[in-house]
Amino acid sequence: MTLTHYLVLAAILFAIGATTVLLRRNAIIVFMGVELMLNSTNLLLVTFARMHGDLTGQVLAFFVMVVAAAEVVVGLGIIVSIFRTRRSASVDDVNLLKS
Amino acid sequence: MHTLMSLTTPAVVTAVEDVVAPVAWDGARHAAWLVVVPLVSAAVLLLLGRRADRWGHWLGVLASAASFVVALVLFLGLLGQPAEQRVHDVSFGTWVDAGALTLDAGLRVDPLSLTFVLLVTFVGTLIHVYSVAYMEHDVDRRRFFAYLNLFVAAMLLLVLADSYLLLFVGWEGVGLASYLLIGFWNHNTAYAVAAKKAFVANRVGDVGLIVAMGLMFAAFGGLDFATVHAGVAGADTGVLTLIGLALLLAACGKSAQFPLQSWLGDAMAGPTPVSALIHAATMVTAGVYLIVRSGEVYAAAPTAQLVVAVVGAITLLFGAIVGCAKDDIKKALAASTMSQIGYMVLAAGLGPIGYAFAIFHLVTHGFFKAGMFLGAGSVMHGMDDQVDMRRFGGLGRYMKITYVTFMAGWLAILGVFPFAGFWSKDKIIEAAFVPVDGEPWRAWVFGGIALLGAGITAFYMSRLFFLTFEGQKRWSAKRDGSAQHPHESPLLMTVPMVVLAVGSVGLGWFLSSAGFVEWLEPSVGHAEHHEPVLPVPVIVGATLAVVLVGLVLAWRMYAVSTVPVAPPRGTVLTRAARQDLYQDVVNDAALVDPGRYLTRSLVYGDKAVVDGAVTGLGKVTVGVGDAVRRVQTGYARSYAASTVVGLVVLTVVVLAVRG
Amino acid sequence: MTGAFAAVHAALPTVATAVPTALAETGRTSTAEAVLFWVLAPVMVLAALGLLFARKAVHAALAVVVVMISLAFLYVAQEAPFLGVVQVVVYTGAVMMLFLFVLMLVGVDRSDSLVETIRGQRWIGVLAGAGLGVVLAGVVGRATYPAAQGLVEANADSNPIGIARLVFGEHVLALEVVGCLLVVAALGALVLTHRRRLAPRIGQRELAERRVREGANLAPLPAPGVYARHNAMDVPALDPDGRPLEHSVPRVLRVRGQEADAREYAARIDRVLAGGWANGAGSFTSATGDGPPLGARALARDAAGKDDDRPEDAPGGADAPDEPSAASADAHTADGDELRDEEVRR
């Protein structure tokens, strides 16, 4: 087994996360799909760090995690406030983009 | 002969160099009052409105008279200086400071401008006085005087300006005043149309002046006379010719010269004092002033100068022929004005040799033509505003003063010795016979035309005079049905006429003996005297002979024989002359109709092509938007899907390209 | 903290020492790591698919937790113990718990409809997702990489120290910026979830004032009467006149009609006072009273007209309290649910 396997695994996870975003309507699940995509890139970064013998990749993954945490806080806050006004967590109900 | 001609050419060039360079003179600053006083008066009269109705006309007279006094003081001051120091430029600070163009607002006080100033203020003041009585029953007399003062201010600015741009301001000012005064009775549609016609024809000329200014700026880098005249020496002849032609176009528009002369006849719609002041004595001569002022340019552009002379000759004959057929006394006088200005332009086209005589004739013409117009106004005043000469006749016994003053003007324009016209017009005819550029055909052609013109002038002016004052009474009833009772005009009208008549009689001799030509030399340059192709006495004799022929012919046709009240059908030439030689028809066919068609086709093109393109573009946009709108579902997932699809496609494309 | 990492290192000696050298030499991982990968990778893919297909959001969240914990293992295996720990702490511990919390808030027992509402979205989504997977996996799998170097050198002073050198050295500005970002995010969440109070707050003081205004009962309600026969909450208390106080019995019992009959107890009390056992067979006798208390007797008189046979049945009714009390406990929870539902609805 080589490090490439990790990369392929990350790619598969990323694709599944993207598909989740496209197919699921529950905003929370969509959000989890996004998190899955972020995690798969983190795996990629860690693998590349190992491949190049350079810890910068890990540092980058660390920053991704922190930013993802911030993003989750804001995103969930938005979902909660939308749910409060609309009694729904479906992304399709929020189509104000179409004016 | 040939050696003489070859000698004349350098003589002309030295003559140009004789023009005196401007020097400073503090007294010249007072020239500003000439413009300011009538302008302020006009503003006061217009702004105060009806409150000034009772005394407004006297304020107008006062402003004009004050300008005359200032002019007189300046004149005396100028006389007190040696001839070579009589050209003064006075600056009133920077006016235009735009990039490469820096221009001072300045006036030029020199013999030429001061001659004009004296003419304008003197004749103007007389006509102001005359108007007080002539416009007495008009409710808008105050407004009339405001416009007259505006005209005087603009005309003085025109002749006093020391740059073409400031001249242009005055040029437009007199155009505006002319428009306002022609259309003074604009409740009459025909008069309003006449005013518009004059305005449009003047605009065509103005374009010439603007083009000339643009060329001057490009060629000399300045617009003041000093810069332009200094720059002529090193300039390209082609550019100078263009400038000369553009200036000539401007002069044609303002001075009603061929081919822009058609407006002058219609301009008689204005009150008669206006015709006297603006359309006979002063404004229409602005073109002559412009050409004389630009003498250096024409001296260096012989082709343009020749065109000036040709235009003058054509207009001279044109006006004379039209004048023979007109039955409207004012329109006949207008045609005469056109013809006389044709003389002046012809003289101006002869070069420095003719400049002084052009101005000389301009001054005398200003007196006798204004006098005759005032006389015509007096006749109309006594004849219930009748203008058809076939309805006059035998008026000499009823309006003695008018008769005598008009006779003075008539003899003056005929050029009978010793009246004013003899001293000026005969000099022009003499000058026309002088071979200018060593080409004898010019002397013969221009001399012949000037001589012929003198004969025709004698005929139509005598016709006018005899139809009005001699022969049987052919009066029609008044407009209210009562019988005509022609009467002499009040003193306020006759006094100016008398003054002008005195000028018509004696001004020519006076100016000639007082050295008018030498007086002008600092401005227009000294011209060597050259021998004309015919001996001078022969020319004088021939002139007097043709004048006599014309006079006798008119006497026999219009004083002795019975004149029909209804105009006879006449020959082809007569009918054409009644129609201004079909000038309007030609204008309509050559300019107005094509312009109209062009406008229509442009409007159609605008609708079909431009609007079509614009609306077509709009429709396409709407259609595309309608199609694309369906993609914009507002669902975030759709957008995410398009992003992912785009990512996949992009990756595949990149992979495919990289192999 | 360092101790914890040291423990992790000690726990995974093969990861820390054996694998990198093998990796650097052969470009292949150790067998142990391969086993770990091949065990975890299918689990992760299956869990990720669980996220994609689970009908219940909670199941999806749990699937993601599985993926993330597995990822933490993979990080540790990939010589990134610090990130592995952070992955567990931040993602699994904080982020996913936040998700679950919001799920609870939003409604945990709802299962999502999987019927697609946007026309064509399902096909596009499936195709795009599959295409993305194939393209990415293809690119990643077919690309040529440099020889793997491993992190032995970089991790010489242990992995956290190596990372710390970079984070607080080269990337210190990014760290500060990210810190600002976190603060802003926290404030943003506060603002987003903040609810403006539209009505004045009702506290204890306001409630008390309202009671006085409405003339309601100011004191606590009387406790139910407990007469030592059993811990019956269903027996009403008696007022000084001997009358039973209805509202001393819990409301739920009253609503369900499960409270004990006060008259029966009054009669029993009378009997006790008269000198017999409450159930008629007892040995207890009153030493003092020779007649039933006035109140009890009056009560009995009142009730006599309605159902005369009730006193005879009473012992049986009172002796079997177990079943009703169990039912009442059950009912109480149900009632509590209702109340909570009401609160949610409000």
Side-chain angles (χ1 to χ4, degrees), chain B residues 23 36 55 81 99 214 235 268 279 282 343-344 449 454 471 474 506 537 609 640:
Chain B
V23 293
V36 169
W55 45 268
Q81 292 168 346
M268 295 303 122
H279 304 123
T282 53
Y343 270 108
M344 300 172 209
I449 288 176
R474 302 177 298 273
V609 180

Side-chain angles (χ1 to χ4, degrees), chain A residues 18 21-25 91-92 94-98, chain B residues 629 632-637 639-642 644 647:
Chain A
V21 172
L22 296 191
L23 292 184
R24 296 305 295 262
R25 278 185 294 158
V91 285
D92 289 356
V94 189
N95 58 351
L96 291 176
L97 286 175
K98 181 184 189 177
Chain B
R629 180 174 63 85
Q632 301 291 315
T633 54
Y635 296 118
R637 289 193 298 143
Y639 301 151
S642 50
V644 173
L647 175 64

Side-chain angles (χ1 to χ4, degrees), chain C residues 154-182:
Chain C
N155 280 350
D157 294 340
S158 87
N159 174 253
I161 291 175
I163 289 184
R165 284 208 179 101
L166 281 174
V167 168
F168 297 107
E170 199 178 332
H171 300 287
V172 69
L173 181 67
L175 184 78
E176 301 290 332
V177 173
V178 164
C180 292
L181 180 73
L182 273 177

Side-chain angles (χ1 to χ4, degrees), chain B residues 107-117 155-164 167 171 225 251 254-255 282-295 298 341 344-345 348 355 358-359 362 523-524:
Chain B
L107 302 180
R108 166 168 286 199
V109 178
D110 68 348
L112 178 61
S113 66
L114 217 55
T115 304
F116 261 90
V117 168
M155 188 71 202
L156 293 179
L157 183 63
L158 193 163
V159 295
L160 280 169
D162 78 335
S163 66
Y164 283 96
L167 179 148
W171 188 270
F225 295 147
K254 195 57 83 186
S255 293
T282 53
M283 186 192 87
V284 285
T285 59
V288 181
Y289 169 78
L290 185 66
I291 293 172
V292 173
R293 189 51 103 188
S294 311
Y298 286 104
I341 296 173
M344 300 172 209
V345 172
Y355 289 157
I359 301 299
L362 193 153
S523 294
V524 301

